[in-house]
Amino acid sequence: MRQTAGFPKSQIFGLFLSLVLTFGAGFIALKTSLSFGMIMAIIGTLALIQAGLQLFMFMHVSEGEDGKTNIINMLYSLFCAIVIVFGTIWVMTLGTHTH
């Protein structure tokens, strides 16, 4: 494991950016007069950005010998989860129309 001395600039930047995204989502939810669907879409987008930010800044997903392998595995897991969720919704909603 690599140890470095000094000020953790990237972690401080990641923390600051996470706080900005969190407070931005709170501001959008509480202080705007957008429609409910638009607010949820914006908050969901900010949440995905923050999740990706935290994976790369704090969990160091792309570092190490198998950094690319970690990213590929996470993308494949995300693909499987999306297929399972949307496939289940598709079967449950359209399954009653065939009878």
Coordinates of all heavy atoms in Angstrom, one line a residue:
M1 N 0.8 -1.2 0.0 CA 0.0 0.0 0.0 C 0.9 1.2 0.0 O 1.9 1.3 0.7 CB -0.9 0.0 1.2 CG -1.8 1.2 1.3 SD -3.0 1.1 2.6 CE -4.3 0.2 1.9
R2 N 0.5 2.2 -0.8 CA 1.3 3.4 -0.9 C 0.9 4.4 0.1 O -0.3 4.8 0.2 CB 1.1 3.9 -2.4 CG 2.0 5.1 -2.7 CD 1.7 5.5 -4.1 NE 0.6 6.5 -4.0 CZ -0.1 7.0 -5.0 NH1 0.2 6.6 -6.2 NH2 -1.0 7.9 -4.8
Q3 N 1.8 5.0 0.8 CA 1.5 6.0 1.8 C 2.2 7.3 1.3 O 3.3 7.3 0.9 CB 2.2 5.6 3.1 CG 1.5 4.4 3.8 CD 0.6 4.8 4.9 OE1 0.7 5.9 5.4 NE2 -0.2 3.8 5.3
T4 N 1.4 8.4 1.3 CA 1.9 9.7 0.9 C 1.7 10.6 2.1 O 0.7 10.6 2.8 CB 1.2 10.2 -0.3 OG1 -0.2 10.3 -0.1 CG2 1.4 9.3 -1.5
A5 N 2.7 11.5 2.2 CA 2.6 12.5 3.2 C 2.1 13.8 2.6 O 2.3 14.1 1.4 CB 3.9 12.8 3.9
G6 N 1.5 14.7 3.4 CA 1.1 16.0 2.9 C -0.4 16.2 3.1 O -1.1 15.4 3.7
F7 N -0.8 17.3 2.6 CA -2.2 17.7 2.7 C -3.1 17.0 1.7 O -2.8 17.0 0.5 CB -2.3 19.2 2.5 CG -3.6 19.8 2.9 CD1 -4.0 19.9 4.2 CD2 -4.5 20.2 1.9 CE1 -5.2 20.5 4.6 CE2 -5.8 20.7 2.3 CZ -6.1 20.9 3.6
P8 N -4.2 16.4 2.1 CA -5.1 15.6 1.2 C -6.0 16.5 0.4 O -7.2 16.7 0.6 CB -5.9 14.7 2.1 CG -6.0 15.5 3.4 CD -4.7 16.3 3.5
K9 N -5.4 17.1 -0.7 CA -6.1 18.1 -1.5 C -7.3 17.5 -2.2 O -8.4 18.1 -2.2 CB -5.2 18.7 -2.5 CG -4.1 19.6 -2.0 CD -3.2 20.1 -3.1 CE -2.1 20.8 -2.5 NZ -1.1 21.3 -3.5
S10 N -7.1 16.3 -2.7 CA -8.2 15.7 -3.5 C -9.4 15.3 -2.6 O -10.6 15.4 -3.0 CB -7.7 14.5 -4.3 OG -7.3 13.4 -3.4
Q11 N -9.1 14.8 -1.4 CA -10.2 14.5 -0.5 C -10.9 15.7 0.0 O -12.2 15.7 0.1 CB -9.6 13.7 0.8 CG -9.4 12.3 0.5 CD -8.0 12.0 -0.2 OE1 -7.2 12.9 -0.2 NE2 -7.8 10.8 -0.6
I12 N -10.3 16.8 0.3 CA -10.9 18.0 0.6 C -11.8 18.6 -0.5 O -12.9 19.0 -0.3 CB -9.9 19.1 1.1 CG1 -9.1 18.6 2.3 CG2 -10.5 20.4 1.4 CD1 -9.9 18.4 3.5
F13 N -11.3 18.5 -1.7 CA -12.0 18.9 -2.9 C -13.3 18.0 -3.1 O -14.4 18.5 -3.3 CB -11.2 18.9 -4.2 CG -11.9 19.2 -5.4 CD1 -12.3 20.5 -5.7 CD2 -12.2 18.2 -6.3 CE1 -13.0 20.8 -6.8 CE2 -12.9 18.5 -7.5 CZ -13.3 19.8 -7.7
G14 N -13.1 16.7 -2.9 CA -14.2 15.8 -3.0 C -15.3 16.1 -1.9 O -16.5 16.0 -2.2
L15 N -14.9 16.4 -0.7 CA -15.8 16.7 0.4 C -16.5 18.0 0.1 O -17.8 18.0 0.2 CB -15.0 16.9 1.7 CG -15.9 17.3 2.9 CD1 -16.9 16.3 3.3 CD2 -15.0 17.7 4.1
F16 N -15.8 19.0 -0.4 CA -16.4 20.3 -0.7 C -17.5 20.1 -1.9 O -18.6 20.6 -1.8 CB -15.4 21.3 -1.1 CG -15.9 22.6 -1.6 CD1 -16.5 23.5 -0.6 CD2 -15.9 23.0 -2.9 CE1 -17.0 24.7 -1.0 CE2 -16.5 24.2 -3.3 CZ -17.0 25.1 -2.4
L17 N -17.1 19.3 -2.9 CA -18.0 19.1 -4.0 C -19.2 18.3 -3.6 O -20.3 18.6 -4.1 CB -17.2 18.4 -5.2 CG -17.9 18.5 -6.5 CD1 -18.2 19.9 -6.9 CD2 -16.9 17.9 -7.6
S18 N -19.0 17.3 -2.7 CA -20.2 16.6 -2.2 C -21.1 17.4 -1.4 O -22.3 17.3 -1.5 CB -19.7 15.4 -1.3 OG -19.0 14.5 -2.1
L19 N -20.6 18.3 -0.6 CA -21.4 19.3 0.1 C -22.2 20.2 -0.8 O -23.4 20.5 -0.6 CB -20.6 20.0 1.1 CG -20.1 19.3 2.3 CD1 -19.1 20.1 3.2 CD2 -21.2 18.8 3.2
V20 N -21.5 20.7 -1.8 CA -22.2 21.6 -2.8 C -23.3 20.8 -3.5 O -24.4 21.4 -3.6 CB -21.2 22.1 -3.9 CG1 -21.9 22.8 -5.0 CG2 -20.2 23.1 -3.2
L21 N -23.1 19.6 -3.9 CA -24.2 18.8 -4.5 C -25.3 18.5 -3.6 O -26.5 18.6 -4.0 CB -23.6 17.5 -5.1 CG -22.7 17.6 -6.3 CD1 -22.0 16.3 -6.6 CD2 -23.4 18.1 -7.5
T22 N -25.0 18.3 -2.3 CA -26.1 18.0 -1.3 C -26.9 19.2 -1.1 O -28.1 19.2 -1.1 CB -25.4 17.5 0.0 OG1 -24.7 16.3 -0.3 CG2 -26.5 17.2 1.0
F23 N -26.2 20.4 -0.8 CA -26.9 21.6 -0.6 C -27.7 22.1 -1.8 O -28.8 22.7 -1.7 CB -26.0 22.7 0.0 CG -25.6 22.4 1.4 CD1 -24.2 22.4 1.7 CD2 -26.5 22.2 2.4 CE1 -23.8 22.1 3.0 CE2 -26.1 22.0 3.7 CZ -24.8 21.9 4.0
G24 N -27.1 21.8 -3.0 CA -27.8 22.2 -4.2 C -29.1 21.4 -4.4 O -30.1 21.9 -4.8
A25 N -29.1 20.1 -4.0 CA -30.3 19.3 -4.1 C -31.3 19.8 -3.1 O -32.5 19.8 -3.4 CB -30.0 17.8 -3.8
G26 N -30.9 20.1 -1.9 CA -31.8 20.7 -0.9 C -32.4 22.0 -1.3 O -33.6 22.2 -1.1
F27 N -31.6 22.8 -1.9 CA -32.1 24.1 -2.4 C -33.2 23.9 -3.5 O -34.2 24.5 -3.5 CB -31.0 25.0 -2.9 CG -31.4 26.3 -3.5 CD1 -31.8 27.3 -2.7 CD2 -31.5 26.4 -4.9 CE1 -32.2 28.5 -3.2 CE2 -32.0 27.6 -5.4 CZ -32.3 28.7 -4.6
I28 N -32.9 23.0 -4.4 CA -33.8 22.7 -5.5 C -35.1 22.2 -4.9 O -36.2 22.5 -5.4 CB -33.2 21.8 -6.5 CG1 -32.1 22.6 -7.3 CG2 -34.2 21.2 -7.5 CD1 -31.2 21.7 -8.2
A29 N -35.0 21.3 -4.0 CA -36.2 20.7 -3.4 C -37.0 21.6 -2.6 O -38.3 21.6 -2.6 CB -35.8 19.5 -2.5
L30 N -36.4 22.6 -1.9 CA -37.2 23.4 -1.0 C -37.5 24.8 -1.5 O -38.4 25.4 -1.1 CB -36.4 23.5 0.3 CG -36.2 22.2 1.1 CD1 -35.3 22.5 2.3 CD2 -37.5 21.6 1.5
K31 N -36.6 25.4 -2.4 CA -36.8 26.8 -2.7 C -37.2 27.0 -4.2 O -37.3 28.2 -4.6 CB -35.4 27.5 -2.5 CG -35.0 27.5 -1.0 CD -35.9 28.3 -0.2 CE -35.4 28.4 1.2 NZ -36.2 29.1 2.1
T32 N -37.4 26.0 -5.0 CA -37.8 26.2 -6.3 C -39.3 25.9 -6.5 O -39.9 25.1 -5.7 CB -37.0 25.4 -7.3 OG1 -37.2 24.0 -7.1 CG2 -35.5 25.8 -7.3
S33 N -39.9 26.4 -7.6 CA -41.3 26.1 -7.9 C -41.4 25.2 -9.1 O -42.4 25.3 -9.8 CB -42.1 27.4 -8.0 OG -41.6 28.1 -9.1
L34 N -40.5 24.3 -9.3 CA -40.5 23.4 -10.4 C -41.5 22.3 -10.1 O -42.0 22.1 -9.0 CB -39.1 22.7 -10.6 CG -38.0 23.7 -11.0 CD1 -36.7 23.0 -11.0 CD2 -38.3 24.3 -12.4
S35 N -41.9 21.5 -11.1 CA -42.8 20.4 -10.9 C -42.1 19.3 -10.1 O -40.9 19.2 -10.1 CB -43.3 19.9 -12.3 OG -42.2 19.2 -12.9
F36 N -43.0 18.4 -9.5 CA -42.4 17.4 -8.7 C -41.5 16.4 -9.5 O -40.4 16.0 -9.0 CB -43.6 16.6 -8.1 CG -43.1 15.4 -7.3 CD1 -42.6 15.6 -6.0 CD2 -43.2 14.1 -7.8 CE1 -42.2 14.5 -5.2 CE2 -42.8 13.0 -7.0 CZ -42.3 13.2 -5.7
G37 N -41.9 16.1 -10.7 CA -41.1 15.2 -11.6 C -39.8 15.8 -11.9 O -38.8 15.1 -11.9
M38 N -39.8 17.1 -12.2 CA -38.5 17.8 -12.5 C -37.6 17.8 -11.3 O -36.4 17.6 -11.5 CB -38.8 19.2 -13.0 CG -37.6 19.9 -13.5 SD -36.7 19.2 -14.8 CE -37.7 19.5 -16.2
I39 N -38.1 18.1 -10.2 CA -37.3 18.2 -8.9 C -36.7 16.8 -8.7 O -35.5 16.7 -8.4 CB -38.2 18.6 -7.7 CG1 -38.5 20.1 -7.9 CG2 -37.4 18.4 -6.4 CD1 -39.4 20.6 -6.8
M40 N -37.5 15.7 -8.8 CA -37.0 14.4 -8.6 C -35.9 14.0 -9.6 O -34.9 13.3 -9.3 CB -38.1 13.4 -8.6 CG -39.1 13.6 -7.4 SD -38.4 13.6 -5.8 CE -37.9 12.0 -5.6
A41 N -36.1 14.4 -10.8 CA -35.1 14.1 -11.9 C -33.8 14.8 -11.6 O -32.7 14.3 -11.7 CB -35.6 14.5 -13.2
I42 N -33.9 16.1 -11.2 CA -32.6 16.8 -10.8 C -32.0 16.3 -9.6 O -30.7 16.1 -9.6 CB -33.0 18.3 -10.6 CG1 -33.4 19.0 -11.9 CG2 -31.8 19.1 -10.1 CD1 -34.0 20.4 -11.8
I43 N -32.7 15.9 -8.6 CA -32.1 15.3 -7.4 C -31.5 14.0 -7.7 O -30.4 13.7 -7.2 CB -33.2 15.3 -6.2 CG1 -33.5 16.7 -5.7 CG2 -32.6 14.4 -5.1 CD1 -34.6 16.7 -4.7
G44 N -32.2 13.2 -8.5 CA -31.6 11.9 -8.9 C -30.3 12.0 -9.7 O -29.4 11.3 -9.4
T45 N -30.3 13.0 -10.6 CA -29.1 13.2 -11.3 C -27.9 13.7 -10.4 O -26.8 13.2 -10.5 CB -29.3 14.3 -12.4 OG1 -30.4 13.8 -13.2 CG2 -28.1 14.5 -13.2
L46 N -28.2 14.6 -9.5 CA -27.2 15.0 -8.6 C -26.7 13.9 -7.7 O -25.5 13.8 -7.3 CB -27.7 16.2 -7.7 CG -27.9 17.5 -8.4 CD1 -28.6 18.6 -7.5 CD2 -26.6 18.0 -9.0
A47 N -27.6 13.0 -7.3 CA -27.3 11.9 -6.5 C -26.4 10.9 -7.2 O -25.4 10.4 -6.6 CB -28.5 11.1 -6.0
L48 N -26.6 10.7 -8.5 CA -25.7 9.8 -9.3 C -24.4 10.4 -9.4 O -23.3 9.7 -9.4 CB -26.4 9.5 -10.6 CG -27.6 8.6 -10.6 CD1 -28.2 8.5 -12.0 CD2 -27.2 7.2 -10.1
I49 N -24.3 11.7 -9.7 CA -23.0 12.4 -9.8 C -22.3 12.3 -8.5 O -21.1 12.0 -8.5 CB -23.2 13.9 -10.2 CG1 -23.8 14.0 -11.6 CG2 -22.0 14.7 -10.1 CD1 -24.3 15.4 -12.0
Q50 N -23.0 12.5 -7.4 CA -22.3 12.4 -6.1 C -21.8 11.0 -5.8 O -20.7 10.8 -5.2 CB -23.2 12.9 -5.0 CG -22.5 13.0 -3.6 CD -23.4 13.7 -2.6 OE1 -24.5 14.1 -2.9 NE2 -22.8 13.7 -1.4
A51 N -22.6 10.0 -6.1 CA -22.2 8.6 -5.9 C -20.9 8.3 -6.7 O -20.0 7.7 -6.2 CB -23.3 7.7 -6.3
G52 N -20.9 8.7 -8.0 CA -19.7 8.5 -8.8 C -18.5 9.3 -8.2 O -17.3 8.8 -8.2
L53 N -18.7 10.5 -7.8 CA -17.6 11.3 -7.2 C -17.0 10.6 -6.0 O -15.8 10.5 -5.8 CB -18.2 12.7 -6.8 CG -17.2 13.6 -6.0 CD1 -16.3 14.3 -6.9 CD2 -18.0 14.6 -5.2
Q54 N -17.9 10.1 -5.1 CA -17.4 9.4 -3.9 C -16.7 8.1 -4.2 O -15.7 7.8 -3.5 CB -18.6 9.2 -2.9 CG -19.0 10.5 -2.3 CD -20.1 10.4 -1.3 OE1 -20.6 9.3 -1.0 NE2 -20.6 11.5 -0.9
L55 N -17.2 7.4 -5.2 CA -16.5 6.2 -5.6 C -15.0 6.5 -6.1 O -14.1 5.8 -5.7 CB -17.2 5.5 -6.7 CG -18.4 4.6 -6.3 CD1 -19.1 4.1 -7.5 CD2 -18.0 3.5 -5.4
F56 N -14.8 7.5 -6.8 CA -13.5 7.8 -7.4 C -12.6 8.6 -6.4 O -11.5 8.4 -6.3 CB -13.6 8.5 -8.7 CG -14.0 7.6 -9.8 CD1 -15.4 7.5 -10.2 CD2 -13.1 6.8 -10.5 CE1 -15.7 6.7 -11.2 CE2 -13.5 6.0 -11.5 CZ -14.8 5.9 -11.9
M57 N -13.2 9.5 -5.6 CA -12.4 10.4 -4.8 C -12.1 9.7 -3.4 O -11.0 9.9 -2.9 CB -13.2 11.7 -4.5 CG -13.4 12.5 -5.7 SD -11.9 13.1 -6.5 CE -11.6 14.5 -5.5
F58 N -13.1 9.0 -2.8 CA -12.9 8.5 -1.5 C -12.6 7.0 -1.5 O -11.8 6.5 -0.6 CB -14.1 8.8 -0.6 CG -14.4 10.3 -0.5 CD1 -15.6 10.8 -0.9 CD2 -13.4 11.1 0.0 CE1 -15.8 12.1 -0.7 CE2 -13.6 12.5 0.2 CZ -14.9 13.0 -0.2
M59 N -13.2 6.2 -2.4 CA -13.0 4.8 -2.4 C -11.9 4.3 -3.3 O -11.5 3.2 -3.4 CB -14.3 4.1 -2.7 CG -15.3 4.4 -1.6 SD -16.9 3.5 -1.9 CE -16.4 1.9 -1.4
H60 N -11.3 5.3 -4.1 CA -10.2 5.0 -5.0 C -10.4 3.8 -5.9 O -9.6 2.9 -6.0 CB -8.9 4.8 -4.2 CG -8.7 5.9 -3.2 ND1 -8.3 7.2 -3.6 CD2 -8.8 6.0 -1.9 CE1 -8.1 8.0 -2.6 NE2 -8.4 7.3 -1.5
V61 N -11.6 3.8 -6.6 CA -12.0 2.7 -7.4 C -11.0 2.5 -8.6 O -10.7 1.4 -9.0 CB -13.4 2.9 -7.9 CG1 -13.8 1.9 -9.0 CG2 -14.4 2.8 -6.8
S62 N -10.5 3.6 -9.2 CA -9.7 3.4 -10.4 C -8.2 3.3 -10.1 O -7.4 3.1 -11.0 CB -9.9 4.7 -11.3 OG -9.5 5.8 -10.6
E63 N -7.8 3.2 -8.8 CA -6.4 3.1 -8.5 C -6.1 1.6 -8.3 O -6.9 0.8 -8.1 CB -6.1 3.9 -7.2 CG -6.3 5.4 -7.4 CD -6.0 6.1 -6.1 OE1 -5.5 5.5 -5.1 OE2 -6.2 7.4 -6.1
G64 N -4.8 1.4 -8.3 CA -4.3 0.0 -8.0 C -4.1 -0.7 -9.3 O -4.2 -0.2 -10.4
E65 N -3.7 -2.0 -9.1 CA -3.4 -2.9 -10.3 C -4.6 -3.2 -11.1 O -4.5 -3.3 -12.3 CB -2.7 -4.1 -9.8 CG -1.4 -3.9 -9.1 CD -0.9 -5.2 -8.5 OE1 -1.5 -6.3 -8.8 OE2 0.1 -5.2 -7.8
D66 N -5.7 -3.4 -10.5 CA -6.9 -3.8 -11.2 C -8.0 -2.7 -11.2 O -9.2 -3.0 -11.1 CB -7.5 -5.1 -10.7 CG -7.8 -5.0 -9.2 OD1 -7.4 -4.0 -8.6 OD2 -8.5 -5.9 -8.7
G67 N -7.6 -1.5 -11.4 CA -8.5 -0.4 -11.4 C -9.5 -0.5 -12.6 O -10.7 -0.2 -12.4
K68 N -9.1 -0.8 -13.8 CA -10.0 -1.0 -14.9 C -11.0 -2.2 -14.6 O -12.1 -2.1 -15.0 CB -9.2 -1.2 -16.2 CG -8.5 0.0 -16.7 CD -7.8 -0.2 -18.0 CE -7.1 1.0 -18.4 NZ -6.4 0.8 -19.6
T69 N -10.5 -3.2 -14.0 CA -11.3 -4.4 -13.7 C -12.4 -4.0 -12.8 O -13.6 -4.4 -12.9 CB -10.5 -5.5 -13.1 OG1 -9.4 -5.8 -14.0 CG2 -11.3 -6.7 -12.9
N70 N -12.1 -3.2 -11.8 CA -13.1 -2.7 -10.8 C -14.2 -1.9 -11.5 O -15.4 -2.1 -11.2 CB -12.5 -1.8 -9.7 CG -11.6 -2.6 -8.8 OD1 -11.8 -3.8 -8.6 ND2 -10.7 -2.0 -8.1
I71 N -13.8 -1.0 -12.4 CA -14.8 -0.2 -13.1 C -15.7 -1.1 -14.0 O -16.9 -0.9 -14.1 CB -14.1 0.9 -13.9 CG1 -13.4 1.9 -12.9 CG2 -15.0 1.7 -14.8 CD1 -12.5 2.9 -13.6
I72 N -15.1 -2.0 -14.7 CA -15.8 -2.9 -15.6 C -16.8 -3.7 -14.8 O -18.0 -3.9 -15.2 CB -14.9 -3.8 -16.5 CG1 -14.2 -2.9 -17.5 CG2 -15.6 -4.9 -17.2 CD1 -13.0 -3.6 -18.2
N73 N -16.4 -4.2 -13.7 CA -17.2 -5.0 -12.8 C -18.4 -4.2 -12.3 O -19.5 -4.7 -12.2 CB -16.5 -5.7 -11.7 CG -15.6 -6.8 -12.1 OD1 -15.8 -7.4 -13.2 ND2 -14.6 -7.1 -11.3
M74 N -18.1 -3.0 -11.9 CA -19.2 -2.1 -11.4 C -20.2 -1.8 -12.5 O -21.4 -1.7 -12.3 CB -18.6 -0.8 -10.8 CG -18.0 -1.1 -9.5 SD -17.4 0.3 -8.5 CE -17.6 1.7 -9.5
L75 N -19.7 -1.5 -13.7 CA -20.6 -1.2 -14.8 C -21.5 -2.4 -15.2 O -22.6 -2.3 -15.5 CB -19.8 -0.7 -16.1 CG -19.2 0.6 -16.0 CD1 -18.3 0.9 -17.2 CD2 -20.3 1.7 -15.8
Y76 N -20.9 -3.6 -15.2 CA -21.6 -4.8 -15.4 C -22.7 -5.1 -14.4 O -23.8 -5.5 -14.7 CB -20.7 -6.0 -15.5 CG -21.4 -7.3 -15.8 CD1 -22.0 -7.6 -17.0 CD2 -21.5 -8.3 -14.8 CE1 -22.7 -8.7 -17.2 CE2 -22.2 -9.5 -15.0 CZ -22.8 -9.7 -16.3 OH -23.5 -10.9 -16.5
S77 N -22.3 -4.8 -13.1 CA -23.3 -5.0 -12.0 C -24.4 -4.0 -12.2 O -25.6 -4.3 -11.9 CB -22.6 -4.7 -10.7 OG -21.6 -5.7 -10.5
L78 N -24.1 -2.7 -12.6 CA -25.2 -1.7 -12.8 C -26.1 -2.2 -14.0 O -27.3 -2.1 -13.9 CB -24.5 -0.4 -13.1 CG -25.5 0.8 -13.4 CD1 -26.3 1.1 -12.2 CD2 -24.7 2.0 -13.9
F79 N -25.5 -2.7 -15.0 CA -26.3 -3.2 -16.2 C -27.2 -4.3 -15.7 O -28.4 -4.3 -16.1 CB -25.3 -3.7 -17.3 CG -26.1 -4.4 -18.4 CD1 -26.8 -3.7 -19.3 CD2 -26.0 -5.8 -18.5 CE1 -27.5 -4.3 -20.3 CE2 -26.6 -6.4 -19.5 CZ -27.4 -5.7 -20.4
C80 N -26.7 -5.3 -14.9 CA -27.5 -6.4 -14.5 C -28.7 -5.9 -13.6 O -29.8 -6.3 -13.7 CB -26.7 -7.4 -13.7 SG -25.6 -8.4 -14.7
A81 N -28.4 -4.9 -12.7 CA -29.4 -4.4 -11.8 C -30.5 -3.6 -12.7 O -31.7 -3.8 -12.4 CB -28.8 -3.4 -10.8
I82 N -30.1 -2.9 -13.7 CA -31.1 -2.2 -14.5 C -31.9 -3.2 -15.3 O -33.2 -3.0 -15.4 CB -30.3 -1.2 -15.5 CG1 -29.8 0.0 -14.7 CG2 -31.3 -0.7 -16.6 CD1 -28.9 0.9 -15.5
V83 N -31.3 -4.2 -15.8 CA -32.1 -5.2 -16.6 C -33.1 -5.9 -15.6 O -34.2 -6.2 -16.0 CB -31.1 -6.3 -17.2 CG1 -31.9 -7.5 -17.7 CG2 -30.4 -5.6 -18.4
I84 N -32.6 -6.3 -14.4 CA -33.5 -7.0 -13.5 C -34.7 -6.1 -13.1 O -35.9 -6.5 -13.1 CB -32.7 -7.4 -12.3 CG1 -31.8 -8.6 -12.7 CG2 -33.7 -7.9 -11.1 CD1 -30.8 -9.0 -11.6
V85 N -34.4 -4.8 -12.7 CA -35.5 -3.9 -12.3 C -36.5 -3.6 -13.4 O -37.7 -3.8 -13.3 CB -34.9 -2.6 -11.7 CG1 -36.0 -1.6 -11.5 CG2 -34.2 -2.9 -10.4
F86 N -36.0 -3.2 -14.6 CA -36.9 -2.8 -15.7 C -37.5 -4.1 -16.3 O -38.7 -4.0 -16.7 CB -36.2 -2.0 -16.7 CG -35.9 -0.6 -16.3 CD1 -34.6 -0.1 -16.0 CD2 -37.0 0.3 -16.1 CE1 -34.4 1.2 -15.5 CE2 -36.8 1.6 -15.7 CZ -35.5 2.0 -15.4
G87 N -36.8 -5.2 -16.3 CA -37.5 -6.4 -16.7 C -38.6 -6.9 -15.8 O -39.7 -7.3 -16.3
T88 N -38.4 -6.7 -14.5 CA -39.5 -7.0 -13.6 C -40.7 -6.1 -13.8 O -41.8 -6.6 -13.8 CB -38.9 -7.0 -12.2 OG1 -37.8 -7.9 -12.0 CG2 -40.0 -7.3 -11.1
I89 N -40.4 -4.8 -13.9 CA -41.5 -3.9 -14.1 C -42.2 -4.2 -15.4 O -43.5 -4.2 -15.5 CB -41.0 -2.4 -14.1 CG1 -40.5 -2.1 -12.7 CG2 -42.0 -1.4 -14.6 CD1 -39.7 -0.7 -12.6
W90 N -41.5 -4.5 -16.5 CA -42.1 -4.8 -17.7 C -43.0 -6.1 -17.7 O -44.1 -6.1 -18.1 CB -41.0 -5.0 -18.8 CG -41.4 -5.4 -20.1 CD1 -42.4 -4.8 -20.8 CD2 -40.9 -6.4 -20.9 NE1 -42.6 -5.4 -22.1 CE2 -41.7 -6.4 -22.2 CE3 -39.9 -7.4 -20.8 CZ2 -41.4 -7.3 -23.2 CZ3 -39.7 -8.3 -21.8 CH2 -40.4 -8.2 -23.0
V91 N -42.5 -7.1 -17.0 CA -43.3 -8.3 -16.9 C -44.5 -8.1 -16.0 O -45.6 -8.6 -16.3 CB -42.4 -9.5 -16.4 CG1 -43.2 -10.7 -16.0 CG2 -41.4 -9.9 -17.4
M92 N -44.3 -7.4 -14.9 CA -45.4 -7.2 -14.0 C -46.5 -6.3 -14.6 O -47.7 -6.5 -14.3 CB -44.9 -6.6 -12.7 CG -44.0 -7.5 -11.9 SD -44.7 -9.0 -11.4 CE -45.4 -8.5 -9.9
T93 N -46.2 -5.3 -15.4 CA -47.2 -4.4 -15.9 C -47.8 -5.0 -17.2 O -49.0 -4.8 -17.4 CB -46.6 -3.1 -16.2 OG1 -45.5 -3.2 -17.1 CG2 -46.2 -2.4 -15.0
L94 N -47.1 -5.6 -18.1 CA -47.6 -6.1 -19.3 C -48.1 -7.6 -19.3 O -48.7 -8.1 -20.2 CB -46.6 -6.0 -20.4 CG -46.2 -4.5 -20.8 CD1 -45.1 -4.5 -21.8 CD2 -47.4 -3.7 -21.2
G95 N -47.8 -8.3 -18.2 CA -48.2 -9.7 -18.1 C -49.7 -9.9 -18.0 O -50.2 -10.9 -18.4
T96 N -50.4 -8.9 -17.5 CA -51.8 -9.0 -17.4 C -52.6 -8.7 -18.7 O -53.7 -9.1 -18.8 CB -52.4 -8.1 -16.3 OG1 -52.0 -6.7 -16.7 CG2 -51.8 -8.4 -14.9
H97 N -51.9 -8.2 -19.7 CA -52.5 -7.8 -20.9 C -52.7 -9.0 -21.9 O -53.4 -8.9 -22.9 CB -51.8 -6.7 -21.6 CG -51.8 -5.4 -20.8 ND1 -53.0 -4.7 -20.6 CD2 -50.8 -4.7 -20.3 CE1 -52.7 -3.7 -19.9 NE2 -51.4 -3.6 -19.7
T98 N -52.0 -10.1 -21.6 CA -52.0 -11.2 -22.5 C -53.2 -12.2 -22.3 O -53.4 -13.0 -23.1 CB -50.7 -12.0 -22.5 OG1 -50.5 -12.5 -21.1 CG2 -49.5 -11.1 -22.9
H99 N -53.9 -12.0 -21.2 CA -55.0 -12.9 -20.9 C -56.3 -12.3 -21.2 O -56.7 -11.3 -21.1 CB -54.9 -13.3 -19.4 CG -53.7 -14.1 -19.0 ND1 -53.5 -15.4 -19.4 CD2 -52.6 -13.7 -18.3 CE1 -52.3 -15.8 -19.0 NE2 -51.8 -14.8 -18.3

